[in-house]
Amino acid sequence: MNLKSKRYLTLQNLYELKRVSSIQERMSSGRVFYKDHLLGLTDQTGILWPIEKHDYLQSKILNSGDWISFKCAINKIEVPTISNEEHYVFQINEIVDMVENKNDWINTKIESPLPNNEELQKLNLPNQQITSYFWSNKTNKRFQLLNKRNRALERTSSFFKNKGFFNIETPTLVPSGGVEVYLNSFNTSYIDHRNKHWALQLPTSPEFALKKVMTEGVEKIFQLSRAYRNNGEVAKFHEPEFIMLEWYRANATLIEIMDDTQNLVRVIAELLGSTKDLPKQWPVFRVDDLFKKHLNLNLEQLQNRDQFYEKAKHLSHSITPQDDWDTIFYKLFMEKIEPFLSEQKACFVTNYPIQMSALAKQELIKTSNGEIQEKPFAERMEAYLFGIEICNGYFELNDSTIFQERFATTQKLRPDVLMDYGFQNAMLFGLPNCAGNALGIDRVIALLLDLDNISAMYPIPFLSQFPADTVAWE
C-alpha cells in the first residue's frame, strides 16, 4: 500500500466513522496511555479508549507515551444492554510507525498531552463492557482555544478591511521601540560588514511605522502586529510578546475611534459566542470628573507635585513622600478609581493628564470671550472591559516642535529611550490630523471567553520556554 496516498484521521474523525458500513482499514495516529491495563490513545482532538490490538500484535510492547501511527479496523460488537445503542471496538491491525517515549513531560505551563489521573478516573465504561468510547481532554480544550483565537484574529482583520482600511506589515527591528516613560524595550543591534554596530529595539507598538506611512497620504490604516514589552511584563494579562491591534483614521476624532472599538468588541463577542453581557453604548468618564466624584480632588488645580501630595497622602497608605506627581496619580487611580471601573461591564475613560500622554494632542477649549485655552489634559482615551484596561487611543499629536520638546523631557527621565529620526522627519514633513488606537486583542479575546489569563490561548506561552519556577510571574 502507498501510505502517502492515505489520509490520516484524527482520533475524533476515526470515532465519528464508527457507524460507516465499510470494511476499509483506516489510518490514524495517537499517543499511548493505559488505564486498568487497557490500552488507550490520545491526540489533540481527545481520548479514544479502550483500544484492542490484533492477535499478532499482542506481543508488541507499547509504552505509555509512545507515539504510534497505525491501521485500524472498526468492528461492531453485540453487547447485552437495555439501551438500543450500537457498540463498536477499534482494533489496531498494523503499527505503521512508532516513536518510543524517551522522557516525561516536564512543561509546567502546558499540560501533558497524556491524560492525567483526574481525567483517567472519568474513563469508566458502563458495566465494564469492552466497547470503545471517545472523550475530550485538556489538550483538545487547549486547541479549541487556539482555534477560537485564530478565528477572532481573522475576523478582526476582515472588520477593518471591510471598512476600507489599508493593511500593512511593519518591521520588528526598529531604531526606537517607543517613547513612553513607563514602557521598556528589548535592545539589540545590527552589525554591518565593517563591524559597525547600530542600536536597534523591538517595538512596544507599531505606532511610529504606521504614522510614517500615513504621511504618504494613506487615510485609514491598521495592523495586527507583534509587540514587545520588557522589564517584568509577565502576568495574567501581560506577556512580553503579544499581538497589538493598531489603527488610525485621518481627519477623525477620538469619538470615531471609540465607535470602532466598541463595534469591534461586539463583533468578536458574537463570533466567539461569548455569554458576557455588553452595553449597547459604552459610558464615557473623564479622568478629572472621576477624581472629583470619588476623591474630591480637582486635578486641574493640583498640577504642583507638593500640593497634590498634601491633598492625596491621607487618601492612600501607599503614597510616600518620595512619590512624584505621576506615581501619586497612578496609585490613586488604581486603588480608588479602578474599583469603580470594574463595576462597569465596558466603558471609556478620557482626558488623561497631559504629562502621561506622550503622543496625544493637548486638550483645548474655547473660552466665553472666544479665546483658546490649554487644559492640563490630553485627547487620550482608554477602554475598560470587565474592569481590565484593553486599549490606549489618542487624538494624535502632529506638531513636530511639541514632539521634540516632549521627547527631551522623556530623555531626562529615561536616558535609555531612543529617538527614531525617520519618525521625527515624518512629523516635520507633516502627519495629517488623525486619531488612532492601540488595542491588546488577546486581552479582549480572553475576557470575552471568561479566561483568567491570555497565555492559555498561546501555542507556546512565554514562561513555557524556561525551566519551571525560574522566571518571576507577577
Side-chain angles (χ1 to χ4, degrees):
M1 184 192 306
N2 182 1
L3 297 181
K4 293 183 179 179
S5 67
K6 295 294 183 179
R7 183 170 69 92
Y8 277 74
L9 303 171
T10 65
L11 296 180
Q12 184 176 19
N13 293 152
L14 192 66
Y15 186 73
E16 289 170 350
L17 283 169
K18 64 185 183 296
R19 297 181 189 276
V20 174
S21 299
S22 171
I23 61 172
Q24 178 184 350
E25 285 186 323
R26 308 290 178 175
M27 295 187 63
S28 186
S29 60
R31 198 172 291 277
V32 172
F33 71 93
Y34 289 92
K35 179 182 183 292
D36 300 332
H37 306 292
L38 293 175
L39 168 67
L41 293 169
T42 181
D43 68 2
Q44 82 278 9
T45 63
I47 297 169
L48 186 58
W49 179 82
I51 297 284
E52 288 189 344
K53 291 189 290 186
H54 193 281
D55 290 344
Y56 87 90
L57 290 175
Q58 290 303 321
S59 61
K60 184 76 172 180
I61 297 175
L62 297 176
N63 299 308
S64 183
D66 289 349
W67 183 269
I68 62 171
S69 298
F70 57 89
K71 297 178 189 175
C72 180
I74 308 172
N75 301 320
K76 184 178 178 181
I77 59 174
E78 298 296 332
V79 177
T81 176
I82 58 174
S83 72
N84 295 322
E85 182 181 357
E86 294 180 324
H87 297 269
Y88 298 83
V89 65
F90 294 78
Q91 178 181 274
I92 297 175
N93 290 342
E94 180 184 344
I95 295 176
V96 179
D97 192 17
M98 182 173 77
V99 179
E100 293 183 357
N101 176 44
K102 300 299 182 185
N103 296 290
D104 292 331
W105 184 268
I106 59 171
N107 194 321
T108 59
K109 297 301 175 184
I110 301 175
E111 302 238 23
S112 170
L114 289 177
N116 57 31
N117 289 332
E118 178 185 342
E119 289 174 304
L120 291 177
Q121 289 304 316
K122 299 175 183 177
L123 303 186
N124 293 314
L125 294 181
N127 303 319
Q128 298 300 309
Q129 301 293 345
I130 305 303
T131 180
S132 296
Y133 287 81
F134 184 83
W135 286 267
S136 181
N137 61 3
K138 291 183 178 178
T139 299
N140 171 240
K141 293 173 182 175
R142 188 172 104 84
F143 277 85
Q144 287 180 15
L145 285 179
L146 297 181
N147 186 51
K148 286 181 178 180
R149 176 175 179 258
N150 286 343
R151 291 174 56 219
L153 293 176
E154 290 168 1
R155 184 65 184 89
T156 298
S157 183
S158 64
F159 175 88
F160 286 98
K161 288 178 180 177
N162 291 342
K163 293 178 178 293
F165 280 75
F166 185 46
N167 183 207
I168 64 169
E169 183 178 350
T170 57
T172 52
L173 285 173
V174 296
S176 171
V179 294
E180 286 79 2
V181 174
Y182 299 101
L183 295 182
N184 296 278
S185 300
F186 286 87
N187 295 291
T188 185
S189 64
Y190 169 67
I191 306 172
D192 68 17
H193 65 281
R194 300 165 297 177
N195 201 35
K196 185 173 182 180
H197 291 235
W198 302 84
L200 290 170
Q201 296 181 327
L202 301 183
T204 58
S205 93
E207 179 173 7
F208 285 178
L210 291 173
K211 286 180 176 177
K212 289 175 186 177
V213 176
M214 287 201 76
T215 62
E216 298 181 64
V218 176
E219 294 191 347
K220 294 189 292 186
I221 195 169
F222 86 99
Q223 185 183 9
L224 285 162
S225 171
R226 289 276 165 185
Y228 306 86
R229 307 281 171 89
N230 208 348
N231 286 30
E233 290 281 343
V234 184
K236 287 184 177 180
F237 293 102
H238 292 268
E239 285 260 317
E241 179 181 0
F242 61 98
I243 298 291
M244 176 73 82
L245 166 66
E246 197 148 332
W247 74 96
Y248 294 90
R249 287 178 175 270
N251 304 310
T253 66
L254 266 183
I255 299 298
E256 292 169 84
I257 298 298
M258 290 155 72
D259 286 342
D260 287 338
T261 303
Q262 63 180 3
N263 289 336
L264 173 66
V265 172
R266 175 183 53 79
V267 165
I268 295 174
E270 291 174 355
L271 172 79
L272 295 174
S274 174
T275 59
K276 307 287 282 187
D277 189 24
L278 292 168
K280 291 184 178 179
Q281 185 63 45
W282 298 9
V284 180
F285 306 101
R286 285 182 59 105
V287 166
D288 51 339
D289 289 343
L290 289 171
F291 270 72
K292 284 179 183 177
K293 178 179 179 180
H294 296 279
L295 297 171
N296 196 31
L297 293 179
N298 188 326
L299 283 181
E300 187 170 0
Q301 296 176 1
L302 294 173
Q303 292 300 296
N304 176 274
R305 181 267 167 203
D306 293 339
Q307 291 179 336
F308 193 20
Y309 171 75
E310 288 301 319
K311 288 283 187 179
K313 64 183 180 180
H314 69 282
L315 297 174
S316 170
H317 296 299
S318 68
I319 293 175
T320 70
Q322 291 75 39
D323 291 339
D324 59 16
W325 197 99
D326 290 15
T327 303
I328 297 170
F329 173 89
Y330 279 120
K331 285 181 176 179
L332 291 177
F333 191 89
M334 288 187 291
E335 295 172 18
K336 307 298 181 181
I337 304 302
E338 285 193 346
F340 166 74
L341 299 178
S342 66
E343 297 172 1
Q344 317 301 313
K345 295 172 182 176
C347 66
F348 293 105
V349 179
T350 66
N351 301 89
Y352 281 76
I354 187 64
Q355 53 265 55
M356 50 194 64
S357 305
L359 295 172
K361 282 189 176 181
Q362 189 163 4
E363 182 184 13
L364 304 175
I365 64 167
K366 185 178 288 188
T367 63
S368 56
N369 60 7
E371 294 181 353
I372 301 298
Q373 179 182 340
E374 292 182 344
K375 304 286 280 186
F377 305 106
E379 297 285 354
R380 171 188 170 191
M381 71 83 181
E382 290 187 353
Y384 279 76
L385 187 62
F386 311 119
I388 304 295
E389 178 261 320
I390 60 170
C391 69
N392 186 22
Y394 292 162
F395 183 48
E396 303 295 338
L397 175 70
N398 60 353
D399 186 312
S400 61
T401 302
I402 296 176
F403 167 70
Q404 291 178 62
E405 291 172 354
R406 290 186 187 177
F407 179 77
T409 301
T410 298
Q411 270 207 318
K412 289 178 182 178
L413 299 171
R414 288 277 308 278
D416 57 310
V417 172
L418 303 179
M419 168 63 83
D420 182 335
Y421 291 101
F423 177 69
Q424 183 183 33
N425 177 258
M427 291 284 284
L428 287 166
F429 184 76
L431 180 68
N433 283 321
C434 61
N437 197 12
L439 182 143
I441 189 68
D442 288 328
R443 193 176 291 184
V444 170
I445 298 168
L447 291 168
L448 291 174
L449 291 175
D450 207 20
L451 303 177
D452 61 4
N453 66 84
I454 60 174
S455 65
M457 303 183 302
Y458 286 7
I460 307 294
F462 180 75
L463 289 184
S464 73
Q465 303 175 97
F466 302 93
D469 304 321
T470 58
V471 178
W473 189 86
E474 184 180 320

